Amino acid sequence: MRTHHASRTRTGFCLLLMLFAQALAVPATAQAHGDTVKVVVTGQRDGHVTTEITWENDGDAVEETVAATVNATSPDGSRSLGPWPLVRAPGTRTGWTTAEVLAPGTWKVTVNVGFPALGHAEREVQVPVVDPSPPSPRPTPTTTAPATSAPAPTTTAPATSAPAPSRTDPADERGDRAVGWSLAGLAGIVLAGTAAGVLLRRARARRR
């Protein structure tokens, strides 16, 4: 029991020492850099409020976590946004921004820092209207022309050439001529025989 009680006592004492050390660290930091921080509202990025926070006296970056609130009001006071906390901007030592986004329009932005030191800044910020990305062009449908059937092959009848004029063989012509002369000679013989017979009959008739 005594050992357990002693262990709890030591744990509590260590916690008190840690809290006391942190309490001493804050004034020491404030004495080194000053008791105020410089806050500059640099504008906005994609609707996120952007700021730069440094120590007022020496311009060093604030290594501690910054406790700050951001409020935004429209010029006519009809709209208000916040309070929003500041978070460290990635990739920078002095940049702080909001995770929330301002709506498009004109805003009066107020930043109040309470830790590790006091700081204040105001600025009018203009958030432009971002046009939505144009729709990607739709591919134009390509109309495929219907396949035209190949014309049926036209069978052209071969041109019949006019019969070439028959060429008579000279031998045939000579044969035809010989036949003609033979017939003519025969006819002459027949006529001569007939005439001779007639004359012979007349001569006999006279003799009687």
Side-chain angles (χ1 to χ4, degrees):
M1 293 293 293
R2 291 180 179 179
T3 303
H4 183 66
H5 181 71
S7 176
R8 291 180 59 184
T9 303
R10 286 196 298 270
T11 303
F13 183 72
C14 291
L15 290 175
L16 289 175
L17 286 178
M18 291 175 60
L19 293 174
F20 182 71
Q22 290 180 355
L24 292 177
V26 173
T29 303
Q31 290 177 3
H33 297 285
D35 56 357
T36 58
V37 292
K38 180 181 180 181
V39 182
V40 178
V41 180
T42 56
Q44 61 84 31
R45 182 181 294 110
D46 298 330
H48 301 276
V49 178
T50 57
T51 65
E52 292 283 338
I53 300 178
T54 56
W55 288 103
E56 183 75 32
N57 291 346
D58 51 21
D60 289 346
V62 178
E63 302 296 340
E64 295 81 6
T65 299
V66 172
T69 57
V70 179
N71 291 275
T73 308
S74 61
D76 57 0
S78 61
R79 294 185 298 170
S80 62
L81 297 174
W84 295 336
L86 282 177
V87 295
R88 192 181 296 274
T92 179
R93 295 184 60 205
T94 61
W96 296 79
T97 184
T98 59
E100 295 78 8
V101 179
L102 291 173
T106 302
W107 299 92
K108 179 183 178 182
V109 175
T110 303
V111 179
N112 289 298
V113 179
F115 183 87
L118 299 179
H120 175 82
E122 292 182 359
R123 179 180 173 179
E124 187 174 85
V125 174
Q126 179 72 34
V127 181
V129 177
V130 179
D131 294 332
S133 58
S136 58
R138 300 179 60 183
T140 304
T142 57
T143 57
T144 306
T148 56
S149 57
T154 56
T155 56
T156 305
T160 56
S161 58
S166 60
R167 300 175 62 184
T168 306
D169 192 357
D172 296 338
E173 291 183 357
R174 287 195 298 270
D176 293 342
R177 290 177 184 177
V179 172
W181 284 113
S182 299
L183 293 176
L186 181 61
I189 294 172
V190 172
L191 289 176
T194 302
V198 173
L199 292 177
L200 182 59
R201 289 175 180 172
R202 288 179 179 179
R204 288 179 179 177
R206 288 176 182 174
R207 290 175 184 176
R208 292 177 180 172

